[in-house]
Amino acid sequence: MLLLLSGAYPYAAFLGANLGGSLPIPRLAIYAVATALFAVVVCVALLVIFRRLKGPRLAVSVAVFILLFFNYMRFAEIGARGMGVLLWVLAVLVGVVAGYMLARFSAVRLYVLVAVILLTGFPVVQFSVFRSATSGEAPPQRAIENLSGVKEKPNIWFFMLDGYARGDRFPVELGGDNSEFITALRGRGFAVNQRTYASYSHTIGSLSSMLEMDYVTGRLAGGESSLVPVVRGDNALVRTLRSGGYTYVHAEPGTWEVNRCDSGADACLPPLRGAGVAIGEVEHSLISLTPLRRVLRKLGVQEAISSGYTTPTHTMDEFEAEARNAPYFVFAHQLSPHPPWRFSEDCAELEEVVGEDKFDVGGAWDPQFKNAYLAETACLNRRMLEAIDRIVTADPSAVVVILSDHGTGFDVKFEDAAEWSLQQLDQRFSTFSAVRMPKRCPQDEHGINFTVNTFRRVIACIANQPARLLDYRGFVVRRKQHALFMDEIKRPGWPADSKAQEPVTPE
């Protein structure tokens, strides 16, 4: 019993610590069973090899080791890294030996069993109560238009580039120049707007508002899990397009558990995987709690476990591998150029991912990594243009939307969002927007533009009707006790114009 509960402990603790996240419960249950069985096998093997060992006492030692193994980071973060590792090694040695010695007393064995029951059971109960209390939270079932009577239904591609800065921000905050990419897009028929704003400081809110074509407000008790259905296809945009017979194709980004493909999509495009064992965000987080991450890095085989990622060209490869019935809507979330960074300017994969350690402790947007951001952006630009050329060559009438969910955060202190200056608001909320639509449809490169309205304009174009646009509202996404709060920003003079403007039809 003790070994079985000890095996389940790390995954139960992970549940309790991530109540508001997107948690793959079946996978966690399998991991718990596998860890428990492994602990039993180890215990039996030691008893066979060392016949003098006592089973009940050995079980206590193994249980202590499991608890310490999955609490490695608590020690590693103490003082200098070397000191933390040394403290962990000492804790393991003392804990395992002392556990075996003291387990000779039945009272100690009972105490350890009760402790493990509480450590394992409390998070499970906490998770059950949390989920039952938030199970009623669901996105509204709405569509903004019925497209069943529309004759011309172009295929639609949506590339969401995570953390991609607006063009005018490159020289201001990055010391770079992105004008060549913007010129190339315009030469391919895109309207690139340099006055575009997102409405949310973080991906989950911003992406949800794009897909819902409306604002997500207030307190979400279920945290990110409340918006998982929206991101995976249960949203106003997909419902609107399905009313016109569209097929929804979901291209997974890799890593980010929230945006996995599920039953909400008609077809799934998997991310690019490395040569090793493919893992997800949850597995990556669990491994990071243990010394395994450090050991793999020291051995130079960190890529033996890969959380996967996608690129625009890989999305095209996966899409072209199988015929699709038109009309279709393809949503491809590209985690690039959000940290951590994987590629050089010429798209060679880096020997070591840049900023990964900082990413794990919430400091990914460190100014020292600006050059890595610029290099990855240059690589992404090349791949994006290749993907666009493949799309429009095969399908000249295709609508292609390229948006970013938010800007960078190199000069932003996220813990002080209420005190952000106008410059910091501009840095985080200024977003990239490039849209290729039929020439008959209004496209505005100069007026104020909000990402919440992008697909309202696309739908209006398809339906051949005026777009019903929303005025601007901005929100800082804040997490507190597993809930998400959408704190509205009401700062005088920001942005300069918050009123939606009807775009003009190009000459």
Side-chain angles (χ1 to χ4, degrees), residues 232-308:
R232 295 183 180 179
D234 187 9
N235 54 65
L237 175 58
V238 171
R239 282 191 290 274
T240 299
L241 292 174
R242 278 182 168 153
S243 73
Y246 276 80
T247 297
Y248 173 46
V249 182
H250 186 105
E252 289 189 357
T255 305
W256 197 38
E257 196 76 35
V258 168
N259 212 352
R260 282 183 177 270
C261 192
D262 63 15
S263 58
D266 299 306
C268 299
L269 305 182
L272 186 65
R273 298 294 192 184
V277 179
I279 65 172
E281 181 185 18
V282 167
E283 290 82 1
H284 188 276
S285 298
L286 286 165
I287 290 172
S288 295
L289 298 174
T290 75
L292 284 177
R293 170 98 169 272
R294 181 178 174 84
V295 170
L296 291 171
R297 182 174 292 136
K298 287 292 184 182
L299 293 175
V301 292
Q302 190 171 356
E303 286 304 311
I305 51 171
S306 171
S307 54

Side-chain angles (χ1 to χ4, degrees), residues 4-292:
L4 294 176
L5 290 171
S6 298
Y9 154 74
Y11 310 103
F14 188 79
L15 276 180
N18 296 275
L19 294 181
S22 173
L23 298 170
I25 307 303
R27 294 210 317 267
L28 288 173
I30 292 172
Y31 298 153
V33 171
T35 303
L37 291 177
F38 180 75
V40 171
V41 170
V42 169
C43 200
V44 171
L46 290 174
L47 289 173
V48 171
I49 296 171
F50 305 100
R51 296 182 180 275
R52 292 187 177 182
L53 293 177
K54 304 297 183 182
R57 294 167 63 180
L58 183 59
V60 171
S61 289
V62 172
V64 169
F65 176 79
I66 291 174
L67 267 62
L68 290 171
F69 185 75
F70 282 93
N71 280 281
Y72 168 78
M73 286 305 299
R74 294 181 184 273
F75 291 87
E77 293 170 357
I78 299 174
R81 174 168 290 187
M83 177 61 70
V85 173
L86 178 60
L87 287 173
W88 179 78
V89 172
L90 290 174
V92 169
L93 292 174
V94 172
V96 169
V97 173
Y100 185 84
M101 298 297 292
L102 294 174
R104 61 198 290 187
F105 302 108
S106 59
V108 172
R109 295 197 300 271
L110 178 61
Y111 172 80
V112 173
L113 178 61
V114 171
V116 172
I117 289 174
L118 292 175
L119 288 171
T120 305
F122 180 74
V124 173
V125 173
Q126 184 184 22
F127 176 79
S128 301
V129 172
F130 174 81
R131 279 301 169 92
S132 63
T134 59
S135 60
E137 270 194 351
Q141 304 292 308
R142 61 170 178 261
I144 68 168
E145 194 71 59
N146 189 319
L147 302 180
S148 59
V150 175
K151 294 182 179 179
E152 294 184 21
K153 299 171 185 175
N155 298 315
I156 304 170
W157 290 79
F158 173 30
F159 290 93
M160 209 286 285
L161 313 184
D162 209 310
Y164 197 113
R166 202 171 65 191
D168 63 316
R169 306 302 304 176
F170 272 73
V172 174
E173 63 196 57
L174 298 166
D177 182 3
N178 205 29
S179 58
E180 184 177 342
F181 179 56
I182 292 171
T183 300
L185 288 174
R186 285 174 172 158
R188 289 164 169 79
F190 282 81
V192 183
N193 187 289
Q194 299 281 52
R195 295 180 61 197
T196 298
Y197 290 90
S199 292
Y200 296 81
S201 59
H202 290 71
T203 302
I204 189 66
S206 187
L207 180 55
S208 296
S209 71
M210 295 175 195
L211 296 171
E212 283 286 59
M213 300 178 285
D214 207 341
Y215 295 109
V216 180
T217 62
R219 174 180 179 270
L220 299 177
E224 283 191 349
S225 62
S226 302
L227 296 176
V228 166
V230 174
V231 174
R232 295 183 180 179
D234 187 9
N235 54 65
L237 175 58
V238 171
R239 282 191 290 274
T240 299
L241 292 174
R242 278 182 168 153
S243 73
Y246 276 80
T247 297
Y248 173 46
V249 182
H250 186 105
E252 289 189 357
T255 305
W256 197 38
E257 196 76 35
V258 168
N259 212 352
R260 282 183 177 270
C261 192
D262 63 15
S263 58
D266 299 306
C268 299
L269 305 182
L272 186 65
R273 298 294 192 184
V277 179
I279 65 172
E281 181 185 18
V282 167
E283 290 82 1
H284 188 276
S285 298
L286 286 165
I287 290 172
S288 295
L289 298 174
T290 75
L292 284 177

